[in-house]
Amino acid sequence: MIQLTERATEKVSEILTSQDPQPSGLRIAVVGGGCSGFTYSMAFENTPGMLDKTYDFKGLKVFVDQASMLYLDGVEVDYVESLEGSGFKFNNPNVKSTCGCGSSFQA
């Protein structure tokens, strides 16, 4: 199961409501790429796929495809703001290693 912190849920909802037309939810996925093999992807979508798992976080719909679930089980998505910048942070217990820049991982 994937978890979104309250801060992440609020930030995604804020961004989602500013879209025109407004999408129905957020897709979180793992895609091939980066120097360690996999990267995270977040994008707004209008409809879930037939085999997607749909989560609900205080009215925010999050869609995850079956292949990504293998890598996202137990993941917590947070939104952080710091002096270095702001963005979404994935805390993934399945990660075996990450690249030097932290934008990709190996599971």
Side-chain angles (χ1 to χ4, degrees), residues 49-66:
M50 251 176 28
L51 301 176
D52 284 351
K53 174 76 174 163
T54 301
Y55 296 97
D56 188 290
F57 298 96
K58 295 184 178 181
L60 171 66
K61 300 275 190 256
V62 176
F63 313 126
V64 181
D65 64 86
Q66 285 186 332

Side-chain angles (χ1 to χ4, degrees), residues 77-98:
V77 181
D78 194 12
Y79 183 77
V80 295
E81 292 180 346
S82 67
L83 293 174
E84 292 86 30
S86 59
F88 294 94
K89 180 179 180 185
F90 287 76
N91 299 310
N92 190 339
N94 306 307
V95 169
K96 291 186 171 67
S97 65
T98 60

Side-chain angles (χ1 to χ4, degrees), residues 1-5 7-8 40 71-80 87-95 98 102 105:
M1 182 168 172
I2 190 169
Q3 290 294 323
L4 260 72
T5 65
R7 280 186 303 212
Y40 299 107
Y71 303 103
L72 293 173
D73 189 35
V75 165
E76 178 189 72
V77 181
D78 194 12
Y79 183 77
V80 295
F88 294 94
K89 180 179 180 185
F90 287 76
N91 299 310
N92 190 339
N94 306 307
V95 169
T98 60
F105 68 97

Side-chain angles (χ1 to χ4, degrees), residues 31-53:
V31 296
C35 46
S36 289
F38 297 105
T39 59
Y40 299 107
S41 170
M42 296 175 74
F44 291 122
E45 293 224 352
N46 289 319
T47 56
M50 251 176 28
L51 301 176
D52 284 351
K53 174 76 174 163

